[in-house]
Amino acid sequence: MTHTETYSAPLEGCLPPDLIGTVTVTEHSTGQVVSNGATVVITGTNEVDFHMDLPDGRYVQSGLDRDDFQVVLRLPYTTVANVSTEDERTIHAADGTVIGTLTIHEDHQVVYRDLNTNGEPDPGEVTVERHEFRLTCGTP
């Protein structure tokens, strides 16, 4: 599956937040679903092509940018989800010279037990929620 989206936004963390650029993101998703009736396992990868044009001519282009994910559904009550993200971008001057980098590493894990089977996380039903996020800005 492939999806493209264009929007306006700042470059998170490495440039001034009031510097707004035009972002085009194309996401390519692949995955697999395996079910034995009582358990469903969904695994996959989202690979992202990120490009941002800034009003002063600078631009940002992604290098490695992927999310690996796994969701395990133990029917009818338990969901375990894991997502790991690696995102590397290069910041260029208007003439193409590399002037900076942005790197994001993110891991997220959630364990949810829908004890009352209402399909909504109620107090005490999310038993694990771990989120690690690291953003690094660098110079060439």
Side-chain angles (χ1 to χ4, degrees):
M1 182 167 56
T2 299
H3 171 76
T4 299
E5 188 173 334
T6 300
Y7 56 92
S8 297
L11 180 66
E12 61 268 59
C14 293
L15 296 174
D18 60 345
L19 181 60
I20 305 298
T22 301
V23 178
T24 301
V25 175
T26 301
E27 183 177 2
H28 307 280
S29 300
T30 58
Q32 179 179 21
V33 177
V34 177
S35 175
N36 69 6
T39 302
V40 178
V41 178
I42 305 164
T43 57
T45 299
N46 295 328
E47 292 183 343
V48 179
D49 179 24
F50 175 97
H51 182 86
M52 171 186 266
D53 290 310
L54 297 163
D56 61 3
R58 289 182 287 178
Y59 64 96
V60 181
Q61 182 63 51
S62 61
L64 171 69
D65 191 345
R66 76 185 270 152
D67 304 329
D68 293 314
F69 61 88
Q70 179 183 54
V71 178
V72 178
L73 307 166
R74 292 186 184 99
L75 304 175
Y77 303 114
T78 304
T79 301
V80 178
N82 294 289
V83 179
S84 180
T85 298
E86 295 179 79
D87 183 355
E88 298 174 1
R89 303 178 195 170
T90 304
I91 305 166
H92 299 267
D95 67 1
T97 303
V98 175
I99 58 173
T101 60
L102 173 144
T103 303
I104 297 171
H105 293 280
E106 185 173 16
D107 293 302
H108 195 188
Q109 178 184 37
V110 174
V111 176
Y112 162 57
R113 291 181 175 86
D114 190 12
L115 300 174
N116 61 3
T117 65
N118 69 351
E120 305 218 357
D122 298 308
E125 291 184 336
V126 175
T127 57
V128 174
E129 186 164 15
R130 181 183 61 81
H131 186 216
E132 296 176 11
F133 181 87
R134 296 172 306 281
L135 185 145
T136 305
C137 301
T139 55

